[in-house]
Amino acid sequence: MLLALTTTATRPSCRRIPHNFPRFASKLSPNSKPSSSSKKPRPRLAQPEKTEADQDAPPDRWNYNSSSLLEVDTKSQEQLASYRLVDANELEKCTKPPREVKMLMRDWIEDSLYNPNYGYFPKQAVIFDTQNTTFDFESLRNSIEFQEEVSSRYAAYGADKHYGPGRQIWHTPTELFKPWYGIAMAKCLVSEYLLKYFPYEDFVIYEIGAGNGTLAMNILDYLRSNHPEVYDRTRYHIIEISENLVELQRKKLASAHPCVKVVHKSIFRWEKKEPAPCFVLAMEVIDNFAHDMIRYDLKTLEPLQALVTIDDRGDFDLIYTPITDPLIASFLKLRTRLAHPPPIPRLLRAAPALLRAYSNLPFAPNLSTAEYIPTRLLSLLRTLRNHFPRHRLLLSDFSSIPDAIPGRNAPVVQTRFQNTTVPVTTVLVAHGYFDIFFPTDFERLRDMYEYTLAEPAAAAGARPTPLTGRAGPLALGADYFSSYHPSNRRRPVDGVLSASGLPVGERKSSVFTHAQFLSTYADLHRTRLKSGENPMLEFYQNVKFLF
């Protein structure tokens, strides 16, 4: 039963659902029924009598919820706090979910999503693929007929079995609007390359999490047909964490485009430095990056980190401790520098007396609302700074999502059960059966990204272009001849000239809506329906680009 999948011992504060367009096939199927997170859960079925073999089994505590109105079991809390602290890297060796351990929220999410033995992506997720066929947009009457056509493609995957979670199928704009979506990305990248680096540098692309390899195929097909001189100088690298997808990508791309190299590795374990100018693609990737959870003590405003505990029964709980994790501490320090406020009302932060009065009210909470902070996203930005010092980032993902669980920047947690998409209200769910994905505040991401690139390590490993051996004047410092620098450009990297030989800085990244970006680079007439609607523009209105 589904209830047995949502193991929880708390009631903490639910992937992505584009504008009027569901993520899973079940909502597209004519026979499916819409789900509602407001429905009351079905009562538990009567349990069969225990056999002799079950007499020594621990008692069942499924769906037990702790409450602040009840007496706290201090002994139980102390036992949970005494569990061994583990992380996702250590848990990769486990063949089944661990017990009697505790871990940070980001390690819990990473283990649930990416564990090679029981994680969601290695074992459950399937990316919707139309194979070698594309939609004939110009022949479809309207968006309703387009969704019916998509639904028929989903039906080819078959119906779910009725005794457990179904196949977790989800789609991306790359697959729905191929090849035109990929061609738009290709036009964006090649225009920048031709303007700044051709013919002195190779066209180097790194794609993080390439899925079925469709985007890489569409980009490279376009380059070979329209820019053969650029294609001859293209090196396309895929960094992929999923072993199954690595095999699929190699099989799909190796014979068609020998310039592709697929590396089976997590981007967070990347060690090789790329000194040349390059472009980094991260399309529909960062929403599944693990987040940490913090809450603030409303008496002291001290931040506390959340630890997920798993007891000997396999039940989950949350405990909170002072910040000791270096990555969480680093993120909070960066947020303070960028003047990004925490999720506490400004009046409470500004007036200690008001805060004390509020915390002394009857039934007042002692902790703030849960906040999910993108610590793994910060790890990515540092990886780009340290190992790709001359990169240009093209990133796209969800800026908002419906059906999220309670909390600031909280994720959607959902699965598919009996052909229906089911969002739940907690992140503490059974390993491997649920997708956990987050929205991204793109304005804050841009601030974090630019600040991270401006740190000193950004210049490490940079090399001059073939035009010069060393950039002499810049050895004196980027500001030696002038104190003026445009606010929309990064500082130039000392010792490195542009392809034109001028010591200019890179343009700072900008945030675009999905429609704004595609209106600039896409051939919109290719995806326009008879009614004049354009699903490539009108769907995914909750998606943004950083470039």
Side-chain angles (χ1 to χ4, degrees), residues 64 117 119 260 281 289 299 301 336 404 428 466 525 529:
Y64 167 81
N117 298 304
V260 175
L281 292 176
F289 277 9
K299 290 187 176 181
L301 294 187
T336 300
L428 301 183
H525 67 281
L529 309 180

Side-chain angles (χ1 to χ4, degrees), residues 250-263:
R250 287 173 176 167
K251 181 179 179 181
K252 186 174 187 176
L253 295 166
S255 58
H257 298 287
C259 61
V260 175
K261 180 180 180 181
V262 182
V263 181

Side-chain angles (χ1 to χ4, degrees), residues 246-433:
V246 165
E247 296 177 1
L248 176 62
Q249 293 159 8
R250 287 173 176 167
K251 181 179 179 181
K252 186 174 187 176
L253 295 166
S255 58
H257 298 287
C259 61
V260 175
K261 180 180 180 181
V262 182
V263 181
H264 182 203
K265 180 175 286 191
S266 167
I267 183 62
F268 303 118
R269 295 178 179 174
W270 192 260
E271 298 174 350
K272 183 179 178 181
K273 182 164 289 187
E274 176 57 78
C278 62
F279 296 87
V280 177
L281 292 176
M283 312 298 290
E284 299 91 41
V285 171
I286 65 171
D287 59 319
N288 284 121
F289 277 9
H291 287 49
D292 275 293
M293 191 176 87
I294 62 171
R295 299 177 74 176
Y296 286 83
D297 186 326
L298 290 181
K299 290 187 176 181
T300 64
L301 294 187
E302 177 190 8
L304 303 173
Q305 63 190 19
L307 294 171
V308 180
T309 64
I310 310 178
D311 66 15
D312 57 339
R313 302 177 177 89
D315 289 337
F316 314 135
D317 207 336
L318 287 171
I319 59 176
Y320 300 91
T321 64
I323 302 296
T324 57
D325 178 67
L327 186 56
I328 296 178
S330 179
F331 176 87
L332 295 179
K333 188 178 297 184
L334 173 59
R335 184 168 70 176
T336 300
R337 292 196 188 107
L338 297 174
H340 294 165
I344 300 174
R346 184 172 58 86
L347 287 176
L348 294 182
R349 289 185 281 116
L354 184 60
L355 179 63
R356 286 194 298 270
Y358 173 77
S359 61
N360 289 327
L361 290 175
F363 302 107
N366 60 350
L367 295 179
S368 67
T369 301
E371 180 189 14
Y372 295 84
I373 58 174
T375 42
R376 271 308 192 189
L377 182 56
L378 178 59
S379 296
L380 172 68
L381 301 184
R382 290 176 171 175
T383 298
L384 296 179
R385 178 196 66 191
N386 295 333
H387 298 290
F388 305 88
R390 301 185 65 192
H391 77 276
R392 183 72 188 274
L393 177 63
L394 175 56
L395 182 150
S396 176
D397 226 303
F398 293 92
S399 58
S400 63
I401 44 178
D403 295 326
I405 67 175
R408 169 73 177 272
N409 197 42
V412 169
V413 185
Q414 66 184 25
T415 189
R416 198 169 81 156
F417 183 71
Q418 296 184 359
N419 299 306
T420 301
T421 301
V422 182
V424 298
T425 58
T426 175
V427 74
L428 301 183
V429 290
H431 296 74
Y433 291 104

Side-chain angles (χ1 to χ4, degrees), residues 227-246:
H227 299 278
E229 73 286 357
V230 174
Y231 180 80
D232 290 341
R233 303 201 58 172
T234 297
R235 293 187 282 127
Y236 202 107
H237 304 266
I238 293 175
I239 305 173
E240 179 60 60
I241 192 174
S242 169
E243 182 177 1
N244 294 335
L245 292 178
V246 165

Side-chain angles (χ1 to χ4, degrees), residues 434-445:
F434 291 80
D435 193 2
I436 304 171
F437 57 102
F438 294 83
T440 297
D441 187 324
F442 271 74
E443 284 67 30
R444 288 194 174 193
L445 168 59

Side-chain angles (χ1 to χ4, degrees), residues 61-87:
R61 289 207 310 161
W62 294 111
N63 301 303
Y64 167 81
N65 290 282
S66 61
S67 171
S68 59
L69 299 178
L70 301 178
E71 183 180 356
V72 177
D73 186 348
T74 306
K75 183 177 180 180
S76 176
Q77 293 293 323
E78 292 177 351
Q79 181 182 8
L80 295 177
S82 67
Y83 286 157
R84 183 171 63 94
L85 182 66
V86 297
D87 60 27

Side-chain angles (χ1 to χ4, degrees), residues 147-216:
Q147 293 196 41
E148 291 175 349
E149 183 68 18
V150 175
S151 179
S152 67
R153 306 285 180 95
Y154 268 101
Y157 285 91
D160 290 342
K161 298 177 182 179
H162 288 274
Y163 52 81
R167 185 186 291 110
Q168 309 297 304
I169 307 173
W170 47 274
H171 57 259
T172 66
T174 298
E175 295 291 347
L176 289 179
F177 306 114
K178 69 180 182 184
W180 313 115
Y181 187 86
I183 288 175
M185 304 305 115
K187 288 183 175 181
C188 171
L189 299 179
V190 76
S191 64
E192 288 287 312
Y193 170 72
L194 290 173
L195 177 66
K196 295 163 60 177
Y197 301 119
F198 182 80
Y200 304 108
E201 301 278 1
D202 287 342
F203 190 25
V204 183
I205 302 174
Y206 285 84
E207 184 179 359
I208 303 171
N212 292 331
T214 302
L215 181 63

